Amino acid sequence: MLARDWRGGELRVLAAALVVAVASITSVAFFADRVSRALVRDAHQLLGADLVLVSDHPWQREIGDEIARRGLERAEAVNFISMARAGEASTLAGVKAVTQNYPLRGKLRTAPAPNAPDEPAQRGPERGSVWLEERLVSALGAPVGASLKLGSAEFKVAAVLTLEPERGANFFNIAPRLFMHAADLPATGLVQTGSRVWFYLYAAGEPAAVTAFEGWARERLARGQRMDNLESGRPEVRASIERAQSFLGLTALLAAILAGVAIALGTRRFVERHLDGCAVMRCFGATQGRLLQLYGAEFLLLGAGACALGCALGFVAQGAIAAALGELLRASLPPPSPLPALQGFLVGVVLLLGFALPPLVQLKNVPAVRVIRREAGAPRTSTLAVYATGIAALSGLLIWQAGDAKLGLTVIGGFGAAVLVFAAVAWGALRLVSAAPVARRLGARSTALRYGLANLRRHARGNAVQVASLALGLTAVLLLTFTRNDLVDAWRRSAPPDAPNRFLLGVQPDQVAAVNRFFAERGIAAPELNPMVRGRLVAVNGKPVAEADFGEERAKRLVEREFNLSYTERAPAHNQVVAGSWFKPGARELSVEEGIAKTLGWKMGDELTFSVGAQRFGARITSLRKLRWDSMKINFFVIAPSALLADFPASFVSAFRADAQHEAALNELSKRFPNLTLVDVGAAVKQAQGIVDHVINAVQFVFLFALGAGLLVLYSALVATEDERRREAAVMRVFGASRRQVTGSQRAEFLAMGLVAGTLATLGAALIGQLLARQVFELDLPPSPELWIAGPVTGVLLLSLNAWLSARKVLSASPALTLRDSV
Amino acid sequence: MPGEAVAIVGASGSGKSTLLALLAGLDTPTAGTVELDGANLFELDEDARAELRGRAVGFVFQSFQLLPSLTALENVMLPLELAGRDDADSAAREILARVGLAERLHHYPKHLSGGEQQRVALARAFVVRPKLLLADEPTGSLDAESGEAVIELLFQLNRESGTTLVLVTHDEHLASRCQRVVRLAAGKIVA
């Protein structure tokens, strides 16, 4: 029977829907799987490894040995600040002595001269040579080939260092970087007891082995030793990855839901075309159970085949995407795991059972009398209730797939609400359009128009369903083109290309005016100087704070160190108060970052006591703030009103943007104010933006598939009523309708439907976009005029095209044949 | 002749329905001509043929061919609306009352019995007062009683409007009520 129905043609559409659905789901899932694995791996590049161990004294031998014993790669580095000398010039350098296999993740990049094109370095510096950051080259006047002295050893400058993956993690390195070979370290005589030196151990390898080692090593960490992984190390990187995963999850969700709609529409057409056949089988004694069995088996067979083909196609497609995007992704993707195939298969089966079975069940209910009276046993209009099981199962699956209940529910809720609202509004709008005075006046002049508009009212229910389906598909298309672009733009703006690339530290209160003047005189936008007071947390609600009170490593570290406190009257523009309200000037109140409050167990209303030097002050927490870590701006965990902190010794810090032409001015700044520390974060910013771009590219490609699924829904919605329209046109022609009347009436009807569908879709896309932007991505999305033009126009164009194609089909077929076919 | 009733009879596949489609200009022949109301149908283009049909030809099908999305009234109004007639509504109401469906105006086809549907189809065919009415097995889908009632109505309307009736049928009894019977076998007139 499958083969027979296949030849009949109806199943092909359905199978195509299922294949495309599963293919798009699996290719999205495969690709998303690979991309997110690549993202996690790439993020590790910012650490230089999967796991970084940092100590203020040399590492116990057993820890280093354990890394090797567990089959993990190991690299080492020693960091310290020292004076580098070349001829007459001398300057502080941030020395990093590394083993030659550093870094384990990512690559160092070097160039033969400042501003020359760079390329990745295959290994660290050779013995006896050093690599210098560009700033150091110019400060020392030591180009490649020159010699420089470090402690008591002499080195040759071998390359200009252009990128150090780990650099972002060390924003506050005061001095420009100098790379050397670890084995040369003893010769310098710089590492002595009491020197301020950091010892780094890097580990990388299979995730399971890394995790196991992490657990093992954590128990052996002594005072002054800590461990950084992706979770603890880089809040701004984690934020980017979480957002990327939200985007990819959303895309997969949309593809799956759209596929469900397409399959429901396709099955309905199949059922309509099989009613007669079923009636005949019922006539010849087939029981209801037998019919259900027959068609159930046929659909399952079809489903299995289509799912398998879909998975295979999905796999091929993701390979092709990866190949096509290889250059764009700038990173090799790890091979996909088999999980997405399983996921695709499961989604396919759920789609088939949930959306094809309910209409299919109607086939078994066809009364045998239909053989005589064709009207008997016509399929009931599909209600939401019919699809309840399917929708529920799909929702569960999608939430699981999205891995984020909030995102899943937002999309499903929005989609469900859209279906109901679309159908209701479409019904009302179509009746309204057909009854509008303008339509009546136009109709008086043209029969075709009058007939088309009258059809809008007559077909109101059927048309409303079609308009709602169209609007859904179109919503997805708009969401994935215009709204997506707007979201991506908004996202890009949140880490803008003019993000600050310099940190200025240690400005004394009496230098603030002079520094501001310095910037103004050189035409650089004056940086906002934020006061910073260093204080240690001593008590919470009067109870003294001890490091041992906290279980979490990050909490211990935070409590152990001095806090950077700031004071201001207004909440920083890039911070968002998420609980309580911003303090009033002069109040004894604090505003605290919500993440640190959570880590340290602080709650609104808690009284915190800090000691600054020999003095203490206390204040209550009255607001919690959310920070944008990826904004590259200066952020403070704790902010107090000026009155509370202004009398304490403070220095000022700032983040600002300087371009290449300001380089000389900045060198002058260092000379004029030798106590200031100027940190070049350009490299780190570039690196973070590289990741963001990488993510955007991946997301955009993945969106194409969901777009395909959206178009499939559009197509299914359009062909769903094609049979009926053809027959109607044939009857019209029999009763004397001219070509113009047939095409004109269809055009009028389709145009109105397109306008309503386009407008609804625009509304839907704009609403969902806003909802996503605010609730999920925490972005501001300005309204898009392009969307409001493109939405309705696309609706009208699409249905005009359909009207044209449909009229051509109708007019090219003999009405006698069409009518005979439909008997 | 105007007002004449002609039956076309023959076995299945003998070409009855094809002949009917050719008479209406719904299909085009490979050879030969059809003259309708003084015009050679196949010298006219498709739109001119449609216009001629709208003006001069009515149709009744075995399977009724009512549009399911239109009410009984709207189905009957269809040819009038296509012809741009302003009195579509009143004319359709009048003829539906004539076929005994004054109470069923706003029912959709699926809510009408087979006999009622065929009466709507008759009303639709006669509402434009066609010169020629082509009926393809008009009782083929009906039980004997409804079939008889429809046939009575068909001949009654035929007489009242002076329409020429061409009837395709298997039913010898029905054929015998026509003035002329044309027999077809394998696409050829045999009697």
Side-chain angles (χ1 to χ4, degrees):
Chain A
M1 196 160 80
L2 181 60
R4 226 179 301 146
D5 278 337
W6 184 261
R7 275 199 307 274
E10 290 102 21
L11 278 186
R12 286 181 215 168
V13 181
L14 195 72
L18 203 58
V19 169
V20 172
V22 175
S24 66
I25 289 164
T26 45
S27 56
V28 167
F30 273 131
F31 191 60
D33 179 59
R34 296 182 68 185
V35 168
S36 34
R37 287 165 56 155
L39 283 174
V40 170
R41 185 200 58 194
D42 287 1
H44 282 141
Q45 293 184 1
L46 286 183
L47 286 175
D50 294 338
L51 196 64
V52 180
L53 294 93
V54 191
S55 172
D56 58 9
H57 55 274
W59 280 99
Q60 314 73 307
R61 176 176 285 276
E62 57 156 347
I63 292 193
D65 288 350
E66 185 68 14
I67 296 176
R69 204 187 64 75
R70 286 175 183 260
L72 298 169
E73 278 185 275
R74 183 182 87 174
E76 290 173 42
V78 178
N79 282 23
F80 58 94
I81 304 263
S82 179
M83 196 65 82
R85 297 185 304 274
E88 292 300 299
S90 68
T91 188
L92 273 179
V95 180
K96 186 164 191 160
V98 296
T99 49
Q100 273 206 307
N101 60 345
Y102 172 87
L104 298 177
R105 294 278 184 254
K107 287 258 188 294
L108 297 170
R109 293 180 76 91
T110 58
N115 295 323
D118 63 351
E119 49 185 45
Q122 295 312 317
R123 58 174 70 86
E126 301 289 335
R127 290 199 63 169
S129 68
V130 291
W131 296 349
L132 305 183
E133 206 176 308
E134 196 175 316
R135 269 199 303 154
L136 204 52
V137 172
S138 51
L140 288 174
V144 171
S147 296
L148 67 74
K149 280 199 87 167
L150 201 62
S152 43
E154 186 152 328
F155 297 91
K156 202 157 213 88
V157 178
V160 176
L161 179 73
T162 55
L163 182 78
E164 176 189 353
E166 212 189 344
R167 192 63 171 167
N170 302 309
F171 277 177
F172 290 95
N173 278 338
I174 294 162
R177 177 64 82 210
L178 180 155
F179 260 82
M180 60 181 281
H181 196 293
D184 290 334
L185 204 51
T188 63
L190 288 169
V191 178
Q192 310 274 347
T193 315
S195 320
R196 201 169 151 71
V197 177
W198 294 97
F199 297 86
Y200 286 73
L201 266 181
Y202 300 89
E206 286 298 313
V210 171
T211 310
F213 169 72
E214 191 180 346
W216 178 89
R218 196 168 291 285
E219 291 170 9
R220 287 162 178 79
L221 290 181
R223 295 279 317 125
Q225 294 185 332
R226 66 184 162 90
M227 201 149 35
D228 281 345
N229 57 20
L230 198 57
E231 300 295 313
S232 63
R234 305 292 309 276
E236 78 281 12
V237 174
R238 206 170 36 170
S240 284
I241 289 179
E242 277 170 9
R243 245 183 258 181
Q245 277 170 350
S246 284
F247 259 113
L248 294 173
L250 165 79
T251 316
L253 271 175
L254 274 175
I257 297 178
L258 291 171
V261 176
I263 285 168
L265 289 169
T267 311
R268 210 179 140 64
R269 189 159 191 247
F270 175 85
V271 166
E272 274 165 5
R273 290 185 156 197
H274 276 72
L275 287 170
D276 290 340
C278 281
V280 170
M281 281 195 265
R282 293 277 287 142
C283 254
F284 290 123
T287 61
Q288 292 199 343
R290 178 87 187 107
L291 276 183
L292 191 62
Q293 216 179 359
L294 210 64
Y295 282 104
E298 181 180 359
F299 266 60
L300 278 182
L301 205 61
L302 175 82
C307 284
L309 188 60
C311 284
L313 265 178
F315 187 81
V316 173
Q318 64 82 24
I321 306 162
L325 280 187
E327 188 58 28
L328 218 56
L329 288 175
R330 289 178 313 204
S332 63
L333 291 174
S337 64
L339 190 69
L342 195 70
Q343 206 173 333
F345 222 90
L346 203 60
V347 171
V349 169
V350 167
L351 285 178
L352 198 67
L353 291 183
F355 291 92
L357 209 56
L360 208 57
V361 167
Q362 294 189 1
L363 278 181
K364 85 174 168 68
N365 297 329
V366 171
V369 71
R370 189 182 162 87
V371 175
I372 297 165
R373 284 203 56 206
R374 283 198 79 239
E375 293 69 34
R380 287 185 303 275
T381 311
S382 315
T383 54
L384 213 58
V386 173
Y387 296 112
T389 348
I391 292 169
L394 186 65
S395 303
L397 207 62
L398 295 179
I399 291 171
W400 169 64
Q401 190 179 0
D404 177 351
K406 189 177 166 191
L407 176 72
L409 288 174
T410 305
V411 175
I412 291 165
F415 211 82
V419 173
L420 292 178
V421 172
F422 280 0
V425 175
W427 186 80
L430 289 177
R431 291 182 69 93
L432 212 68
V433 167
S434 64
V438 182
R440 245 184 269 159
R441 255 202 308 282
L442 285 173
R445 263 183 265 157
S446 152
T447 314
L449 197 61
R450 188 174 63 234
Y451 191 71
L453 291 174
N455 263 350
L456 275 185
R457 189 166 28 79
R458 291 167 183 161
H459 296 168
R461 224 167 68 176
N463 279 350
V465 172
Q466 205 182 352
V467 166
S469 311
L470 272 169
L472 276 184
L474 205 55
T475 300
V477 173
L478 291 175
L479 202 58
L480 297 174
T481 49
F482 286 89
T483 312
R484 178 213 59 178
N485 280 339
D486 295 342
L487 275 175
V488 168
D489 282 349
W491 188 19
R492 212 169 260 182
R493 272 200 301 276
S494 78
D498 59 350
N501 60 0
R502 294 285 197 286
F503 283 141
L504 185 61
L505 308 174
V507 181
Q508 297 306 302
D510 58 358
Q511 293 177 315
V512 171
V515 168
N516 275 329
R517 212 167 37 244
F518 179 90
F519 276 95
E521 281 165 10
R522 278 146 193 89
I524 308 175
E528 188 191 349
L529 289 161
N530 306 92
M532 187 169 89
V533 175
R534 295 182 67 85
R536 193 176 292 277
L537 180 71
V538 287
V540 176
N541 292 329
K543 187 174 167 281
V545 169
E547 200 190 316
D549 298 345
F550 298 92
E552 203 184 322
E553 189 61 29
R554 180 160 179 257
K556 281 182 196 289
R557 231 193 302 158
L558 283 166
V559 178
E560 189 188 36
R561 291 195 309 214
E562 287 188 316
F563 277 83
N564 293 327
L565 312 167
S566 187
Y567 57 86
T568 174
E569 301 308 334
R570 280 180 304 124
H574 54 286
N575 287 191
Q576 187 194 351
V577 174
V578 288
S581 53
W582 188 252
F583 45 67
K584 298 196 174 53
R588 294 191 71 78
E589 294 174 4
L590 298 174
S591 177
V592 169
E593 191 262 337
E594 63 168 352
I596 198 175
K598 202 170 155 198
T599 308
L600 295 178
W602 297 345
K603 283 176 279 307
M604 292 278 291
D606 280 356
E607 168 101 13
L608 306 183
T609 310
F610 291 92
S611 72
V612 181
Q615 305 174 59
R616 289 186 173 205
F617 77 94
R620 276 185 324 114
I621 300 175
T622 56
S623 65
L624 297 181
R625 278 171 299 126
K626 201 171 197 149
L627 304 184
R628 297 293 306 270
W629 288 109
D630 49 7
S631 70
M632 298 291 170
K633 291 186 173 140
I634 297 270
N635 281 310
F636 291 98
F637 284 135
V638 180
I639 300 181
S642 309
L644 207 56
L645 283 180
D647 293 337
F648 289 99
S651 66
F652 288 75
V653 298
S654 181
F656 65 98
R657 179 162 192 89
D659 297 321
Q661 77 262 29
H662 301 133
E663 215 48 60
L666 293 182
N667 283 337
E668 198 188 334
L669 181 76
S670 302
K671 277 192 194 130
R672 279 266 297 271
F673 305 95
N675 66 310
L676 301 193
T677 306
L678 195 57
V679 181
D680 181 356
V681 290
V685 173
K686 221 176 181 175
Q687 220 175 350
Q689 274 177 358
I691 289 195
V692 170
D693 284 345
H694 183 143
V695 169
I696 288 172
N697 285 336
V699 168
Q700 282 184 343
F701 203 91
V702 170
F703 267 126
L704 283 181
F705 282 93
L707 193 67
L711 290 173
L712 198 74
V713 170
L714 278 180
Y715 174 77
S716 308
L718 292 175
V719 297
T721 55
E722 197 184 276
D723 289 351
E724 193 189 326
R725 287 182 192 283
R726 280 175 74 163
R727 187 168 151 246
E728 196 174 301
V731 171
M732 281 175 71
R733 286 182 68 200
V734 168
F735 286 98
S738 66
R739 279 163 183 269
R740 261 185 61 187
Q741 280 176 320
V742 172
T743 49
S745 77
Q746 286 209 355
R747 205 174 292 149
E749 195 178 347
F750 276 129
L751 275 183
M753 283 168 68
L755 191 67
V756 173
T759 311
L760 279 177
T762 306
L763 260 169
L767 266 173
I768 295 172
Q770 287 295 344
L771 211 68
L772 285 175
R774 277 170 204 197
Q775 300 295 318
V776 183
F777 301 116
E778 290 155 14
L779 295 168
D780 271 333
L781 190 67
S784 151
E786 293 93 343
L787 173 73
W788 282 95
I789 297 166
V793 168
T794 312
V796 167
L797 284 181
L798 212 63
L799 283 201
S800 301
L801 178 71
N802 182 62
W804 181 72
L805 287 175
S806 151
R808 248 172 46 128
K809 261 190 202 167
V810 167
L811 291 174
S812 63
S814 147
L817 276 178
T818 307
L819 290 177
R820 217 172 290 159
D821 278 352
S822 68
V823 168
Chain B
M1 297 292 289
E4 190 185 8
V6 181
I8 303 173
V9 291
S12 284
S14 59
K16 306 185 296 290
S17 295
T18 306
L19 177 61
L20 206 66
L22 289 173
L23 290 180
L26 295 179
D27 260 352
T28 44
T30 45
T33 60
V34 174
E35 246 179 61
L36 185 64
D37 204 19
N40 181 346
L41 270 189
F42 304 110
E43 281 172 1
L44 301 176
D45 67 8
E46 174 58 40
D47 273 351
R49 283 206 299 273
E51 192 272 327
L52 179 58
R53 269 202 303 273
R55 181 161 47 77
V57 184
F59 258 100
V60 178
F61 301 94
Q62 176 181 2
S63 53
F64 321 139
Q65 298 290 7
L66 297 180
L67 296 185
S69 58
L70 305 189
T71 62
L73 179 64
E74 289 164 348
N75 263 293
V76 178
M77 283 166 69
L78 171 72
L80 298 172
E81 284 186 328
L82 289 174
R85 290 252 301 260
D86 293 333
D87 62 341
D89 185 81
S90 59
R93 281 170 190 273
E94 196 181 312
I95 194 149
L96 276 167
R98 173 72 192 76
V99 300
L101 291 174
E103 308 299 316
R104 316 281 274 169
L105 296 181
H106 301 294
H107 286 63
Y108 285 93
K110 65 181 170 191
H111 296 132
L112 298 173
S113 71
E116 286 172 329
Q117 289 189 50
Q118 195 59 305
R119 277 191 277 157
V120 174
L122 281 180
R124 179 177 61 181
F126 279 104
V127 74
V128 290
R129 302 200 163 272
K131 292 183 175 164
L132 174 67
L133 184 95
L134 303 168
D136 188 5
E137 304 268 17
T139 59
S141 297
L142 300 175
D143 57 83
E145 201 179 327
S146 309
E148 195 57 42
V150 162
I151 289 302
E152 274 312 316
L153 193 59
L154 177 65
F155 281 103
Q156 222 174 333
L157 291 169
N158 177 36
R159 277 194 303 277
E160 286 168 15
S161 54
T163 301
T164 305
L165 178 63
V166 176
L167 193 71
V168 163
T169 184
H170 275 107
D171 184 350
E172 290 292 342
H173 171 64
L174 177 55
S176 67
R177 292 187 61 169
C178 299
Q179 285 94 330
R180 195 142 58 103
V181 177
V182 176
R183 289 184 193 280
L184 283 187
K188 294 209 157 54
I189 296 175
V190 290

